[in-house]
């Protein structure tokens, strides 16, 4: 039996090779792997002894040879293949262990295109694909974490076709992800990331019990270990819908840096938000905006949940609390509610991945775009369009309102007062309906929106939303501007003695 080992990540490779030798395998290797195994005192055959051809072109060609690929690919169940292998002097290779040149690490550390090109693996993916194709006879190993698993299966005579098939699938996932990374990088470098093909690769974290509905299957996939590193289950099982709501709530809460921000979300939209001196005060104020919708909702806490906050949260049914962390006392208190789910990042404040791109499924495909986020100076750089100037508190409320509006489904308007959301209207087909719906709900809940700041994530097409804001006592409005009727909107704001600011940036969320 023969095994070919050629790896860039050499962790654990010496012990793996020793175990294979003990099981009766001859080891073939190349380059740095060959030297490492040889220095460890392991009997190893250099690849050029098999290929009868030297490594050439500065190592660009090592294993691209019929003696290598014939040894991997010939079928052991076909006598004609066995006869031809014997005739050509091709010896079988029964196990291939390969992981690929570190392309990702290279592009993260340098912009030197020549170095980047030289870290595109050619022979490695070819061997992986050959071994995976012939999984009926060959074991393909692409993950250092599988070394012990492979050795145990060989020792216990459980090297079944089903076992090799699982490794085959993993191998093709490995090469597909590798090629996708290269193609996406080249398109980013030369085509503004919008090439003829777009590849989206995620790594599975866990299955959800089902998808949006019980008849749908679902799973969570991640980019860059965001959930493997920063999603810890404290209590309960995260559902497909939970993950969407957690993301929406966390994006808003985490966008305020060190502030004690709390965001309550229901079905993907914020129904409560506040920043106060303590997280307890923030949650209490956030809950006032819409306690009815908050029932069964998802809460994101930009900080550590302590017992006093946990006690307050337990006054109503919350489905999920997602926080930077929890104290033991808070977990004990919240766990008194059997149905509540608790998840944390294990950090001091919530930390988001800040993905540079996002996409959305449509019938027959998907649309792909740069990610949207509110700039740090967006409100600071907003242009005053009226005579009245915003107060210091109104400027702070505008900063909150713009970020909350950007995370709320369009068409939306958000009313913020003293750093807390007091009304929100979202998902409407007209902006004035969003304004009216928000105010109607605030009135039903007995909330006073007088003196609040109004933010719209897109321009007001007519002055009617300003008219409605005036009726509610709003004295400060912020919006992108850009309507053909901006002059009418500005005139209305001046008529009512409002401060009106244009950011020049729209934040649609559809």
């Amino acid at each position: 039996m023969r095994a070919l080992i050629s790896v860039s990540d050499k962790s654990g490779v010496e012990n793996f090779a020793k175990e294979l030798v003990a099981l009766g395998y001859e080891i073939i290797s190349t380059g740095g792997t060959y030297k490492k195994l040889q220095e460890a005192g392991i009997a190893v055959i250099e690849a050029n002894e098999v290929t009868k051809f030297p490594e050439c072109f500065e190592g660009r060609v090592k294993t691209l040879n019929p003696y290598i690929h014939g040894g991997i690919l010939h079928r052991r169940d076909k006598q004609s293949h066995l006869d031809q292998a014997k005739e050509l002097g091709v010896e079988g290779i029964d196990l291939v262990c390969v992981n690929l040149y570190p392309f990702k690490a290279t592009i993260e550390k340098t912009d030197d295109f020549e170095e980047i090109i030289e870290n595109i693996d050619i022979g490695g993916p070819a061997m992986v694909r050959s071994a995976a194709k012939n999984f009926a006879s060959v074991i393909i190993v692409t993950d250092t974490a599988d070394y012990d698993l492979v050795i145990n299966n060989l020792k216990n005579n459980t090297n079944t076709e089903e076992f090799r098939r699982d490794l085959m699938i993993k191998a093709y996932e490995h090469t597909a992800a590798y090629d996708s990374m290269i193609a996406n990088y080249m398109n980013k470098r030369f085509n503004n990331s919008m090439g003829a093909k777009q590849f989206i690769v995620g790594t599975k974290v866990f299955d959800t019990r089902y998808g949006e509905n019980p008849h749908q299957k679902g799973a969570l996939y991640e980019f860059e270990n965001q959930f493997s590193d920063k999603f810890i289950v404290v209590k309960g099982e995260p559902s497909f819908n939970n993950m969407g709501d957690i993301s929406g709530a966390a994006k808003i809460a985490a966008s305020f840096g060190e502030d004690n921000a709390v965001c309550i979300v229901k079905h993907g939209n914020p129904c409560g938000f506040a920043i106060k001196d303590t997280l307890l005060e923030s949650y209490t104020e956030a809950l006032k905006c819409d306690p009815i919708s908050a029932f069964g909702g998802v809460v994101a806490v930009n900080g550590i949940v302590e017992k006093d906050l946990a006690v307050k949260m337990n006054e109503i049914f919350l489905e999920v609390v997602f926080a930077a962390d929890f104290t033991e006392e808070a977990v004990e208190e919240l766990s008194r509610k059997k149905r509540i789910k608790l998840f944390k990042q294990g950090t001091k404040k919530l930390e988001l991945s800040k993905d540079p791109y996002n996409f959305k499924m449509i019938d027959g495909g998907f649309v792909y775009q740069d990610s949207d986020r509110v700039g740090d100076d967006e409100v600071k750089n907003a242009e005053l369009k009226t005579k009245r100037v915003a107060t210091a508190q109104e400027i702070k409320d505008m900063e909150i309102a713009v970020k909350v509006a950007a995370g709320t489904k369009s068409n939306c308007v958000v009313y913020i007062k003293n750093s807390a959301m007091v009304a929100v209207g979202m998902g409407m087909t007209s902006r004035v309906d969003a304004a009216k719906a928000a105010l109607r709900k605030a009135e039903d809940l007995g909330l006073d929106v007088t003196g609040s700041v109004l933010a719209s994530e897109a321009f007001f097409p007519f002055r009617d939303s300003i008219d409605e804001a005036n009726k509610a006592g709003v004295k400060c409005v912020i919006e992108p501007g850009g309507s053909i009727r901006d002059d009418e909107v500005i005139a209305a704001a001046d008529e009512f003695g409002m401060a009106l600011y244009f950011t020049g940036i729209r934040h649609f969320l559809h």
Side-chain angles (χ1 to χ4, degrees):
M1 296 181 294
R2 281 183 154 190
L4 192 155
I5 304 177
S6 180
V7 292
S8 291
D9 179 358
K10 295 177 177 58
S11 56
V13 72
E14 293 176 27
N15 186 64
F16 185 56
K18 286 177 182 177
E19 293 279 7
L20 289 174
V21 169
L23 288 165
Y25 280 84
E26 283 187 324
I27 307 296
I28 304 166
S29 193
T30 63
T33 308
Y34 169 78
K35 290 178 183 176
K36 187 172 183 68
L37 297 180
Q38 190 180 49
E39 288 169 1
I42 298 167
V44 59
I45 301 167
E46 195 165 10
N48 59 21
E49 295 180 41
V50 175
T51 63
K52 302 176 177 61
F53 205 88
E55 287 187 14
C56 51
F57 310 114
E58 298 180 331
R60 280 190 166 201
V61 178
K62 300 175 185 176
T63 57
L64 297 170
N65 185 282
Y67 285 106
I68 297 293
H69 287 274
I72 298 170
L73 276 166
H74 77 272
R75 290 179 60 169
R76 279 61 159 177
D77 62 339
K78 274 197 168 187
Q79 191 60 46
S80 60
H81 281 219
L82 296 172
D83 290 343
Q84 191 170 27
K86 185 176 181 180
E87 177 188 343
L88 296 172
V90 171
E91 293 188 51
I93 295 173
D94 308 291
L95 183 149
V96 174
C97 176
V98 170
N99 55 59
L100 308 177
Y101 289 177
F103 184 82
K104 181 174 182 293
T106 303
I107 61 176
E108 286 176 347
K109 74 178 184 180
T110 185
D111 196 45
D112 183 338
F113 195 61
E114 183 173 346
E115 184 178 350
I116 288 167
I117 286 291
E118 291 308 317
N119 276 278
I120 296 176
D121 205 329
I122 303 301
M127 288 189 291
V128 170
R129 291 171 62 83
S130 291
K133 178 172 181 173
N134 206 21
F135 76 94
S137 303
V138 179
I139 300 171
I140 174 61
V141 187
T142 56
D143 188 344
T144 59
D146 289 335
Y147 288 171
D148 290 343
L149 178 66
V150 170
I151 295 300
N152 289 336
N153 273 270
L154 290 171
K155 285 181 176 178
N156 296 320
N157 295 315
T158 51
N159 175 24
T160 63
E161 185 165 329
E162 289 74 19
F163 170 64
R164 295 192 299 277
R165 182 188 62 204
D166 289 343
L167 292 175
M168 173 268 289
I169 294 169
K170 193 169 187 177
Y172 282 126
E173 289 173 341
H174 186 57
T175 55
Y178 190 76
D179 284 339
S180 297
M181 177 171 50
I182 294 168
N184 284 347
Y185 170 79
M186 295 303 175
N187 272 324
K188 179 181 179 181
R189 184 162 187 142
F190 299 112
N191 292 318
N192 228 7
S193 293
M194 302 294 168
K197 300 285 185 182
Q198 189 59 248
F199 300 96
I200 297 165
V201 179
T203 301
K204 188 175 181 180
V205 184
F206 53 73
D207 290 312
T208 54
R209 190 166 60 172
Y210 50 78
E212 283 183 285
N213 300 289
H215 62 276
Q216 296 170 271
K217 294 179 181 177
L220 171 68
Y221 291 81
E222 68 180 349
F223 306 127
E224 304 295 336
N225 296 326
Q226 175 65 16
F227 293 96
S228 296
D229 293 345
K230 296 177 183 175
F231 190 82
I232 301 166
V233 175
V234 178
K235 179 180 181 293
E237 179 186 15
S239 72
F240 182 98
N241 292 329
N242 288 161
M243 296 312 300
D245 286 341
I246 287 169
S247 177
K251 279 183 178 179
I252 294 174
S255 66
F256 293 93
E258 296 295 311
D259 288 341
N260 290 317
V262 173
C263 184
I264 308 172
V265 159
K266 190 67 169 288
H267 300 313
N269 279 307
C271 59
F273 178 86
I275 296 174
K276 294 295 180 180
D277 291 337
T278 68
L279 290 171
L280 174 59
E281 292 175 290
S282 296
Y283 172 75
T284 302
E285 289 301 310
L287 186 63
K288 290 178 182 178
C289 181
D290 190 351
I292 298 169
S293 296
F295 187 88
V298 171
V299 181
V301 180
N302 190 35
I304 299 170
V305 176
E306 297 183 341
K307 186 176 180 180
D308 57 351
L309 176 53
V311 170
K312 181 65 178 177
M313 287 176 165
N314 267 350
E315 291 179 0
I316 65 168
F317 167 60
L318 296 171
E319 184 172 7
V320 174
V321 179
F322 178 61
D325 212 337
F326 299 86
T327 64
E328 290 183 13
E329 295 79 9
V331 172
E332 183 179 355
E333 171 63 27
L334 289 166
S335 295
R336 291 174 51 230
K337 297 274 187 169
K338 291 183 179 180
R339 293 170 60 195
I340 198 169
K341 302 176 184 180
L342 308 176
F343 312 112
K344 68 178 185 178
Q345 285 193 331
T347 54
K348 291 184 178 180
K349 293 289 182 180
L350 292 176
E351 299 174 7
L352 298 184
S353 66
K354 298 181 180 177
D355 297 317
Y357 306 102
N358 62 42
F359 65 98
K360 179 180 179 181
M361 289 290 298
I362 59 172
D363 191 33
F366 62 90
V367 285
Y368 183 88
Q369 64 178 352
D370 298 332
S371 290
D372 180 42
R373 57 179 53 91
V374 177
D376 293 337
D377 294 330
E378 197 162 312
V379 172
K380 179 181 176 182
N381 295 333
E383 184 181 358
L384 177 65
K385 308 300 289 189
T386 52
K387 296 172 185 175
R388 182 177 180 271
V389 178
T391 66
Q393 180 61 51
E394 286 171 338
I395 291 171
K396 185 175 182 179
D397 287 347
M398 282 195 289
E399 290 173 345
I400 295 171
V402 169
K403 288 184 176 180
V404 175
T408 305
K409 295 292 177 65
S410 302
N411 286 324
C412 80
V413 293
V414 174
Y415 297 79
I416 302 289
K417 181 178 180 179
N418 295 325
S419 303
M421 188 164 74
V422 290
V424 59
M426 80 289 283
M428 300 293 186
T429 53
S430 99
R431 203 156 296 279
V432 70
D433 284 345
K436 288 179 177 178
L439 294 171
R440 186 165 57 248
K441 192 156 206 174
E443 184 180 358
D444 290 345
L445 292 168
L447 296 174
D448 181 12
V449 300
T450 303
S452 62
V453 164
L454 168 64
S456 171
E457 90 291 16
F459 64 67
F460 290 118
F462 304 97
R463 64 168 284 164
D464 47 11
S465 294
I466 300 295
D467 294 334
E468 292 298 323
N470 176 62
K471 293 176 186 176
V474 170
K475 286 299 179 184
C476 183
V477 176
I478 187 164
E479 53 131 319
S483 167
I484 60 172
R485 296 182 178 85
D486 275 348
D487 289 345
E488 295 177 23
V489 172
I490 294 167
D494 265 331
E495 179 184 332
F496 299 131
M498 292 181 182
L500 174 64
Y501 289 81
F502 284 2
T503 64
I505 304 171
R506 189 183 77 181
H507 291 288
F508 269 158
L509 179 63
H510 282 279

